[in-house]
Amino acid sequence: MKKLLTTKVGRLRLIGLLEGLSLLILLGIAVPLKYAYANPSLVKAIGPVHGLLFLLFVLNTLQVSVEQRWRFGTTTWKVLLACIVPFGTFYIDRKILSRLPSQ
């Protein structure tokens, strides 16, 4: 866990995990509660948190891509696309981010 907090790739992986979880909570729990039971309180609470994590993921992805010299056409766009698709950040973490050398 300490390694995730001390390296830029580690922080990107951690933010990706949190962003993916927040998206699943938002889409799987909060939005159904909002529309099925007319209770938007969870969307109001989780929505801004997810938005902040989304922005942090995008900014950290761009920072790591510049520092690691990723080619946009082969790696960067896949990682950026992952934060839009449910379960995408988990897939990208396993297939790309976990294999990167930590700095």
Side-chain angles (χ1 to χ4, degrees):
M1 182 66 156
K2 183 179 178 185
K3 188 177 183 180
L4 289 178
L5 296 174
T6 58
T7 66
K8 292 179 182 180
V9 172
R11 283 191 293 272
L12 179 61
R13 292 182 67 195
L14 183 60
I15 292 169
L17 172 69
L18 295 173
E19 193 274 338
L21 288 173
S22 71
L23 179 61
L24 292 178
I25 291 169
L26 191 63
L27 294 179
I29 298 171
V31 172
L33 283 175
K34 178 181 178 180
Y35 290 107
Y37 299 103
N39 185 359
S41 61
L42 196 56
V43 170
K44 289 180 181 179
I46 300 295
V49 172
H50 171 69
L52 177 65
L53 289 168
F54 175 82
L55 291 174
L56 285 173
F57 186 80
V58 169
L59 293 174
N60 278 294
T61 298
L62 295 174
Q63 182 182 20
V64 169
S65 72
V66 168
E67 290 176 3
Q68 299 257 337
R69 294 192 171 124
W70 291 349
R71 295 193 63 220
F72 187 84
T74 58
T75 306
T76 306
W77 76 271
K78 292 176 186 175
V79 177
L80 289 173
L81 181 65
C83 64
I84 298 171
V85 179
F87 302 104
T89 54
F90 307 123
Y91 177 80
I92 287 297
D93 181 65
R94 179 164 306 267
K95 294 296 183 181
I96 295 176
L97 300 178
S98 65
R99 297 177 182 173
L100 290 175
S102 297
Q103 294 181 356

